[in-house]
Amino acid sequence: MMRSPRELVGGSPEATFPVTFDGRELPAQQGQSLAAVLWAAGILAWRTTREGGTPRGAFCGIGACYDCLATVNGRPNQRACLVPARPGDSVTTQEGTGHADLAV
Amino acid sequence: MPTSPSEHTTPDRTADLAVIGAGPAGLAAAVTAARLGLRVTLLDAADRPGGQYYRHPAPALGATRPQALHHGWRAFATREAALRAHREAGRVTYLPAHHVWTVVPAGEDGWILHAVAGHAPDETPAALRARHVLLATGAYERQLPFPGWTLPGVVGAGGAQAMLKNNLVLPGRRVVVAGSGPLLLAVAGSLAAAGATVPAVVEAAAYTAYAPQAPALLRNPAKLVEGAAYGGALLRHGVRLLTRHAVTEAHGTTRVEAVTVTRLDGDWQPLPGTARRIPCDALAVGHGLVPQLELATALGCATRETADGTAALDVDAEQRTSVPGIWSAGETGGIGGAELALTEGEIAAHAAAGRPAPAALVRRRARLRAFADAMAAAHRPGTGWTGWLREETDVCRCEEVPAGRIREAVRDLGARDARTVKLLTRAGMGWCQGRMCGPAVAALAGGAPAPDRRPLSCPVPLRHLAALEPQAPPPASPDAELPAPGH
Ligand code: FES
């Protein structure tokens, strides 16, 4: 029986590199979205909601639900399921609107 | 042939046919139309053709056997090769990463399509003209909420499938698959093949609901074999299939740790005293698919109610919508699967080229549509599902609107449809514009299925909207890119 998605489809990524999530280093494979890098590390939540402050992560996986919003390299509200991982990316948990640091 | 990005966004002439969506329907239509001599532009929101069904790993992931995650990969591979050949011959302009957000009439000349090209934060506006437009925008998953469905680890069944096919990742090690519809078996099969343990597939419909549909099923032996193949794979992986059951609650604090599975009556009402708990670290859930119609409804295309209670485009025998010049193929005309989508795409291409469709295609469509309708009828959500909601269960994930507030709007404030509920409660007003909660809100409001009505089909940077003056004449040069301020 197959043990992993990688074994099922064979081959290996062109490159692997680290990205960080809240300062913690995670391995990323070139071609994966940031949501996939987080899932691969067992991380399912990377933001909290505006009203209830409850944790959320990827839900639809295809860019339709906006549950996977994250702050990527300082920019809030990025859909992590659509953003390809790049070497050195820094993802940080997004609290509420992600604009808490803006004096508005 | 050079393929610079600028060449991609400024095609040098009006297309005979613009195809929106490069899934099975759009891809088949584009290559067939090109073969029949039409100048085709194929636009797709994704970076690679295939749509949701033929979603596959990014090339950089180096998969040597992408077909291991697919059923009917050859049908895709042959069309993808044809697409490449037509592009090289200059018959097809393929525009990946182009999200079309509106289609507007351009008088005698046909239509102007406006798209967002590229990915945030570097997206640019693009516009092009076409004489005919084929909407092959596919579908998205229908979600029916239940207590705990916003917990991390609860993911869409289609979402789990997409993340696996695209990125080779799983949401957990022990994944319950639940909801309704044939997609669940496929999802459970691929999760198990990729190494997950799937303790159960929880299906709300009863497969005995297929019995009245026997004639349509028996006309589709290949489809039955496909179903049996999924069933066999599940057996091999030790997956239990529970029909007429639903996940009525997900448990956990920061992530899902278990689900409650309850037996349903014929109306999908949970039966008291039948609940049991299944430990898991992820739940993949979805209740069938809903046609994605926002471009079509904005154009005024007529819709019909399908056998599973959603709105789909009303198309004629040659895949025309009610608006002359606008065509539809695949899931936009009712959920039917990849093989039907391929067939309809080819029929639409023939018709747009002014040719009669080959009789074999027409027959195949009739047979597959009958099968699709039989499946849809069997999996149509019963009205009793609202019985598993609690007052505090969030129905709208984005705006965090609980069922109690929606019921109050209906009971005390007289809301009778999803639009009124939205105005009173903000359900459906958030980021996703009701894509996730729309069907549930419509059911709670007691209204008929509401076709998609969203002003924009994707997020459009304000500067692009600002560049579109209302009533402005079309751009002077027929295919010029719309000017973006600051360029
Ligand atoms: S998971 Fe739905 S938008 Fe990313």
Side-chain angles (χ1 to χ4, degrees):
Chain A
M1 188 180 132
M2 295 295 177
R3 305 304 312 159
S4 73
R6 169 62 61 199
E7 280 163 25
L8 181 63
V9 300
S12 55
E14 271 168 26
T16 57
F17 47 80
V19 303
T20 64
F21 171 64
D22 288 345
R24 173 181 156 197
E25 213 164 84
L26 306 177
Q29 302 181 353
Q30 193 171 337
Q32 281 181 328
S33 67
L34 286 170
V37 172
L38 291 159
W39 273 25
I43 298 165
L44 293 173
W46 48 84
R47 79 166 173 110
T48 57
T49 58
R50 279 174 302 168
E51 289 287 319
T54 56
R56 294 281 175 86
F59 183 69
C60 75
I62 61 167
C65 75
Y66 294 79
D67 254 354
C68 66
L69 296 177
T71 299
V72 180
N73 301 325
R75 273 175 58 101
N77 295 324
Q78 304 300 300
R79 281 175 284 175
C81 71
L82 296 184
V83 181
R86 296 190 205 293
D89 274 346
S90 135
V91 182
T92 44
T93 294
Q94 175 168 325
E95 315 271 356
T97 58
H99 287 113
D101 54 331
L102 299 182
V104 276
Chain B
M1 167 188 173
T3 52
S4 70
S6 62
E7 186 189 39
H8 280 170
T9 48
T10 52
D12 58 357
R13 53 177 85 82
T14 299
D16 295 320
L17 179 66
V19 178
I20 306 176
L27 190 54
V31 299
T32 306
R35 177 167 59 72
L36 296 174
L38 298 189
R39 267 178 215 296
V40 180
T41 300
L42 173 61
L43 304 98
D44 190 53
D47 291 322
R48 296 185 303 287
Q52 299 306 335
Y53 189 80
Y54 294 119
R55 208 173 242 277
H56 50 282
L61 277 165
T64 52
R65 292 188 302 274
Q67 68 275 22
L69 279 165
H70 284 88
H71 186 87
W73 181 254
R74 234 183 69 98
F76 170 70
T78 53
R79 270 128 187 136
E80 211 248 328
L83 175 66
R84 248 178 289 136
H86 286 307
R87 287 181 66 198
E88 275 157 28
R91 291 187 288 264
V92 173
T93 305
Y94 168 54
L95 304 176
H98 275 60
H99 200 136
V100 177
W101 54 273
T102 193
V103 178
V104 291
E108 303 269 288
D109 301 338
W111 307 92
I112 299 177
L113 291 74
H114 293 283
V116 174
H119 300 294
D122 307 315
E123 71 283 284
T124 55
L128 63 96
R129 282 176 186 260
R131 289 201 299 115
H132 300 278
V133 175
L134 174 65
L135 301 170
T137 46
Y140 53 90
E141 197 157 40
R142 168 162 50 200
Q143 295 294 346
L144 302 180
F146 50 89
W149 79 304
T150 55
L151 268 180
V154 178
V155 302
Q161 180 87 319
M163 291 283 278
L164 173 58
K165 285 178 172 178
N166 218 162
N167 293 286
L168 307 177
V169 292
L170 298 169
R173 273 192 258 283
R174 198 176 152 81
V175 189
V176 171
V177 177
S180 191
L183 178 69
L184 299 185
L185 300 180
V187 170
S190 45
L191 293 177
T197 299
V198 180
V201 174
V202 184
E203 163 63 62
Y207 279 96
T208 49
Y210 285 7
Q213 323 287 350
L217 301 183
L218 292 174
R219 285 174 62 211
N220 286 274
K223 282 274 168 193
L224 291 182
V225 170
E226 184 184 328
Y230 285 131
L234 295 183
L235 278 181
R236 268 200 311 286
H237 290 292
V239 176
R240 243 183 324 160
L241 174 61
L242 296 170
T243 59
R244 204 166 268 190
H245 278 76
V247 166
T248 50
E249 182 161 10
H251 308 276
T253 45
T254 55
R255 60 175 295 168
V256 62
E257 287 156 17
V259 293
T260 290
V261 170
T262 310
R263 208 176 137 68
L264 305 179
D265 70 10
D267 227 9
W268 292 29
Q269 171 80 28
L271 292 169
T274 62
R276 70 179 114 160
R277 224 173 149 103
I278 302 180
C280 59
D281 58 7
L283 168 67
V285 63
H287 296 83
L289 303 174
V290 185
Q292 188 164 328
L293 303 182
E294 56 255 31
L295 293 174
T297 48
L299 283 162
C301 297
T303 59
R304 63 181 179 95
E305 186 182 338
T306 63
D308 70 338
T310 70
L313 292 184
D314 207 355
V315 296
D316 72 5
E318 297 192 293
Q319 303 297 133
R320 279 183 198 85
T321 70
S322 65
V323 176
I326 304 291
W327 309 70
S328 153
E331 314 287 47
T332 38
I335 305 309
E339 198 188 344
L340 178 58
L342 292 165
T343 308
E344 291 188 347
E346 288 173 7
I347 290 174
H350 278 86
R355 312 272 191 96
L361 284 183
V362 174
R363 276 198 307 274
R364 194 186 313 151
R365 179 183 53 189
R367 174 169 60 74
L368 290 167
R369 258 298 160 212
F371 185 82
D373 287 348
M375 296 280 262
H379 292 280
R380 181 186 179 112
T383 53
W385 71 266
T386 55
W388 66 58
L389 291 174
R390 286 205 286 263
E391 293 297 275
E392 70 277 14
T393 306
D394 275 338
V395 172
C396 170
R397 300 173 70 90
C398 302
E399 294 292 313
E400 298 168 86
V401 183
R405 281 235 299 283
I406 294 172
R407 285 176 167 148
E408 189 182 82
V410 173
R411 190 184 54 230
D412 301 340
L413 307 172
R416 291 283 169 274
D417 56 47
R419 281 167 79 75
T420 314
V421 169
K422 173 171 160 177
L423 293 173
L424 292 169
T425 67
R426 297 194 57 82
M429 272 198 184
W431 277 100
C432 91
Q433 288 288 291
R435 278 186 185 84
M436 296 301 121
C437 68
V441 171
L444 286 170
D452 274 343
R453 243 177 255 290
R454 278 175 210 107
L456 304 172
S457 70
C458 70
V460 178
L462 283 178
R463 63 181 197 281
H464 298 187
L465 279 181
L468 260 192
E469 285 171 39
Q471 322 296 318
S477 151
D479 303 296
E481 224 181 56
L482 285 176
H487 275 216

